Amino acid sequence: MTQQAALHPMLNVAIKAARAAGAIINRASMDLDILRINTKSPNDFVTEVDQAAEQIIIETLLQAYPDHGILAEESGREHGNKTSEFVWIIDPLDGTTNFIHGLPMYCVSIALSHRGVVQQAVVYDPTRNDLFYATKGRGAFMNDRRLRVSKRTRMSDALIGTGFPFRRGDNFKRYLKMFETVMTECAGLRRPGAAALDLCYVAAGYYDAFFETGLHPWDVAAGSLIITEAGGLVGNFTGESDFLMQREVVAGSPKIYGQLVQLLAPYTRVIKDEDVAAEASAEGKDGAAVVAAAATAPKKRAAVRIKKSDGDETH
């Protein structure tokens, strides 16, 4: 039996949705000259491809699970059941700026949260046909290969992914201080420009760790489960597991994660609900709905890794 045949039914539906979105993205990538691009805010773009990909994802998910809720980048909570314990968290095209320029580093990200805990995760890279996926408690995979985080233990050997702030009003000076702090301690920093894919690269061991500020739940929900199922840790800059709505995330193999948290803790910025609501309203979204989505972020303290007899780890 192949790994694919044994997948959870909800994960299979998410994979079907991600591949359908990927097909739309791949077709559009062949004719970027006719692409219609709108600007959500300076340097923050949305294309008709983002919207078409999101639509096919939502249709696929709700056809299978009409009673589930939806939290999606472009449409917020307009679709689905707003009171469901099951919430699909969707980024139809993470890395839109790369896509617009023809730089082949972007992906589709889909996660399913139940009562605030991410249970299923899919990140699909349509340019390489790489499918990253995980079910809580069942491990993480790329295509049919089991993923494990890297075994490096020294920060001086570590390759670390990051993302630059790019929106007007972002705290660039704060980021530059973080960048300098981390850069002088590690072997190298990389910034491809699609956070969901970056998180999968940590799970695959390509990076030893990753950090970024200014991210939304749909950027990190799927990747966070894929990392923990690959034996890694993910949290906010102080090492707590409350990161989904905090607009800051650090992830990595356990040894490097701990060292990176020590470097980043002085730069943490805890966000209150009213800040989240105000920011969402400024972006044209329902501030109250986005705050309500904070239920998708478990509030317990930093992850504890428990060894199972078969060598898997839970968090």
Side-chain angles (χ1 to χ4, degrees):
M1 180 184 291
T2 66
Q3 177 63 32
Q4 201 74 10
L7 297 184
H8 191 285
M10 290 182 178
L11 184 61
N12 267 324
V13 172
I15 289 171
K16 179 183 175 184
R19 288 196 183 279
I24 289 173
I25 293 165
N26 273 343
R27 283 197 299 271
S29 71
M30 305 201 182
D31 216 345
L32 291 173
D33 290 344
I34 63 169
L35 194 64
R36 286 199 299 271
I37 302 167
N38 297 312
T39 304
K40 290 191 278 190
S41 61
N43 299 333
D44 197 1
F45 305 102
V46 61
T47 71
E48 57 194 331
V49 180
D50 295 71
Q51 293 160 339
E54 183 169 295
Q55 184 177 352
I56 193 71
I57 292 169
I58 291 171
E59 286 175 359
T60 303
L61 297 176
L62 291 184
Q63 185 176 16
Y65 302 105
D67 294 332
H68 285 193
I70 300 285
L71 176 61
E73 177 171 15
E74 306 308 337
S75 58
R77 286 198 175 236
E78 290 172 21
H79 304 282
N81 177 1
K82 295 175 178 60
T83 61
S84 177
E85 292 181 344
F86 290 94
V87 179
W88 293 95
I89 307 171
I90 302 161
D91 191 337
L93 177 51
D94 186 25
T96 300
T97 303
N98 285 350
F99 173 76
I100 290 167
H101 288 83
L103 183 64
M105 305 191 84
Y106 43 81
C107 65
V108 180
S109 177
I110 303 172
L112 175 64
S113 168
H114 178 245
R115 293 185 177 180
V117 179
V118 177
Q119 301 284 348
Q120 311 290 340
V122 176
V123 174
Y124 180 52
D125 176 350
T127 67
R128 295 170 185 79
N129 196 27
D130 281 339
L131 185 76
F132 300 87
Y133 55 94
T135 294
K136 188 170 178 61
R138 294 193 187 180
F141 296 81
M142 182 183 79
N143 302 325
D144 289 324
R145 180 171 69 85
R146 179 71 185 263
L147 295 179
R148 302 300 297 175
V149 295
S150 81
K151 293 182 169 63
R152 290 186 187 87
T153 59
R154 295 191 304 180
M155 181 64 77
S156 59
D157 295 333
L159 182 64
I160 296 177
T162 188
F164 304 148
F166 59 90
R167 298 179 185 89
R168 189 174 292 169
D170 284 345
N171 192 333
F172 294 97
K173 289 182 179 178
R174 169 173 164 252
Y175 180 80
L176 288 173
K177 290 177 183 175
M178 281 190 282
F179 186 89
E180 182 179 5
T181 298
V182 176
M183 184 173 62
T184 55
E185 296 290 333
C186 71
L189 276 176
R190 300 290 182 268
R191 199 278 189 190
L197 208 49
D198 285 323
L199 292 170
C200 292
Y201 287 177
V202 173
Y206 305 158
Y207 295 151
D208 302 290
F210 171 81
F211 73 97
E212 188 168 352
T213 61
L215 295 174
H216 293 89
W218 44 81
D219 296 313
V220 297
S224 66
L225 178 63
I226 291 169
I227 283 176
T228 56
E229 288 297 318
L233 297 174
V234 58
N236 61 25
F237 283 3
T238 55
E240 295 168 293
S241 63
D242 177 17
F243 64 89
L244 208 56
M245 300 299 294
Q246 288 294 340
R247 308 300 299 275
E248 62 182 41
V249 67
V250 56
S253 60
K255 295 282 189 184
I256 302 299
Y257 173 88
Q259 295 170 68
L260 192 54
V261 164
Q262 287 185 325
L263 295 176
L264 294 175
Y267 302 100
T268 191
R269 176 178 171 260
V270 175
I271 298 175
K272 299 183 178 67
D273 282 354
E274 54 266 30
D275 297 330
V276 174
E279 187 168 12
S281 298
E283 294 178 0
K285 295 187 174 70
D286 181 345
V290 173
V291 170
T296 58
K299 302 297 184 189
K300 58 182 182 290
R301 297 287 297 184
V304 176
R305 295 160 61 246
I306 304 168
K307 293 270 187 182
K308 290 183 176 180
S309 59
D310 62 1
D312 286 347
E313 293 166 348
T314 57
H315 304 265

